[in-house]
Amino acid sequence: MAPEQITPVELPDPRYEYGADDFVFVELAEAMSFTANFKAMAITQQVAQQEIDGVVENCPGNASYMLRIDPEIIHPDDLIARLQTIESEIDLEEYEWETRVIDVPVLFEDPWTHETLMEFRDRHQDPDGTDLEYSAQLNGFDSVAAFLEAFVGAPHMVTMVGFVPGLPWCFQMVPRSEQLEVPKYVEPRTDTPSRAVGFGGAFSVIYPVQGAGGYQLYGRTPVEVLDVDQELPDFAESIVFPNPGDILNYRAIDRAEYDAIREEVEAGTYEYTYDRVEFSPDEFFADPHAYNDQLVEGIR
């Protein structure tokens, strides 16, 4: 049987916009797709590598990107001309980037997110069930276990970081026919535990801090994605660990492993398990399942 492929999307011409005096916003497509997101990451990677004078911040998004500039150093029109050149020179069939495949242990159906989601049932589409039961039924699975098997069965790529500092938005690396989808709560919660693993639309997230939220809650990870004080070894260079283009491999754990990892985190000694790889969009499009197995092999 031939491997299932993902067909790259034909993107429209980019739309370039000013954002006040010191931002340039570029929309690559109206809809999120692997093609649009890979193109956004490729362009922003090239901007970073070229160290364009006057570019202060560089933020890729799901199907767009934004650059903050110093207008006294570079005019937006001059930057847009550079961006148009970069965009025209990128061929995703040949482009690759170095990234990390990161092990993310998760205690699914944990007591903390369970207590929270039960507290807010009046804001949910299914007041009589749990978020996982609702998600499993909505996606045609006959059990929560089967749904979770699909959720962890393929890695999730970090497509952007934002909304709140350190929150990774992750898109599961599967063909469209296999994508899981769920709506957000009818009305957002006023509380979500830190490190909660949630899902909304087709995106998984890890909530970096306690606060409001509207995504379906599935579990909690013992590891941090945000370390403002940079006390953990993996945060020496940045207060945020996951970066756009990183690949998260969610892994189900039990309470004993959760507690053991959490003890290391609180002692300041925990280090992520990850593998550095060269990611090829072309190889991923050609056979996503086989390529995913190849990607995660180094952390299993």
Side-chain angles (χ1 to χ4, degrees):
M1 182 180 296
E4 183 170 3
Q5 299 180 337
I6 295 177
T7 303
V9 174
E10 187 72 27
L11 298 179
D13 292 334
R15 178 171 64 87
Y16 298 88
E17 299 282 353
Y18 295 169
D21 295 327
D22 49 0
F23 288 93
V24 170
F25 172 76
V26 185
E27 181 184 77
L28 298 174
E30 292 185 357
M32 161 70 185
S33 66
F34 285 116
T35 305
N37 185 249
F38 293 166
K39 196 67 174 287
M41 283 194 277
I43 293 171
T44 51
Q45 288 165 9
Q46 289 301 305
V47 170
Q49 290 178 20
Q50 294 182 22
E51 298 182 338
I52 299 173
D53 199 20
V55 174
V56 179
E57 290 185 272
N58 182 343
C59 302
N62 287 325
S64 61
Y65 62 94
M66 179 178 285
L67 304 177
R68 182 185 177 192
I69 65 172
D70 183 342
E72 294 186 1
I73 297 177
I74 188 169
H75 191 280
D77 289 340
D78 295 331
L79 176 59
I80 288 171
R82 289 283 298 272
L83 296 174
Q84 290 172 326
T85 299
I86 292 172
E87 193 275 336
S88 67
E89 293 175 347
I90 289 175
D91 181 356
L92 288 181
E93 291 185 0
E94 299 179 358
Y95 193 84
E96 296 183 353
W97 68 79
E98 183 182 276
T99 190
R100 301 172 298 183
V101 180
I102 304 169
D103 174 65
V104 180
V106 182
L107 179 60
F108 291 105
E109 299 183 280
D110 66 285
W112 306 283
T113 59
H114 180 75
E115 179 181 3
T116 299
L117 66 89
M118 295 307 293
E119 181 182 352
F120 291 97
R121 293 329 286 167
D122 61 332
R123 305 186 182 204
H124 196 274
Q125 292 89 344
D126 182 8
D128 298 323
T130 67
D131 292 6
L132 275 168
E133 289 169 345
Y134 172 71
S135 299
Q137 181 181 27
L138 195 64
N139 284 273
F141 292 91
D142 58 9
S143 67
V144 166
F147 176 80
L148 285 176
E149 185 177 349
F151 183 80
V152 302
H156 298 231
M157 176 170 282
V158 180
T159 57
M160 61 177 283
V161 175
F163 186 67
V164 295
L167 187 148
W169 296 63
C170 309
F171 200 69
Q172 193 171 31
M173 299 167 63
V174 293
R176 186 173 182 82
S177 62
E178 299 174 31
Q179 286 174 5
L180 306 173
E181 292 189 31
V182 295
K184 296 187 291 186
Y185 276 43
V186 174
E187 184 179 349
R189 300 177 303 274
T190 57
D191 187 38
T192 305
S194 63
R195 308 188 315 279
V197 174
F199 200 76
F203 292 91
S204 65
V205 298
I206 302 173
Y207 287 84
V209 295
Q210 183 178 10
Y215 278 19
Q216 309 290 333
L217 297 179
Y218 295 166
R220 197 181 194 191
T221 177
V223 303
E224 304 288 350
V225 292
L226 177 71
D227 181 4
V228 176
D229 296 323
Q230 296 180 281
E231 295 176 341
L232 291 162
D234 290 312
F235 294 82
E237 296 181 3
S238 172
I239 64 173
V240 176
F241 184 69
N243 293 316
D246 281 342
I247 298 166
L248 306 188
N249 188 63
Y250 294 115
R251 175 174 60 87
I253 60 174
D254 59 20
R255 180 61 186 269
E257 185 173 356
Y258 177 96
D259 290 342
I261 292 173
R262 194 63 201 157
E263 285 182 11
E264 289 186 58
V265 172
E266 292 176 354
T269 59
Y270 180 80
E271 295 186 49
Y272 271 96
T273 297
Y274 63 87
D275 187 32
R276 292 193 179 276
V277 300
E278 286 289 326
F279 179 75
S280 166
D282 192 47
E283 290 186 51
F284 169 69
F285 285 138
D287 190 348
H289 292 298
Y291 192 58
N292 286 341
D293 289 341
Q294 176 184 328
L295 289 171
V296 303
E297 186 177 11
I299 60 170
R300 287 182 174 172

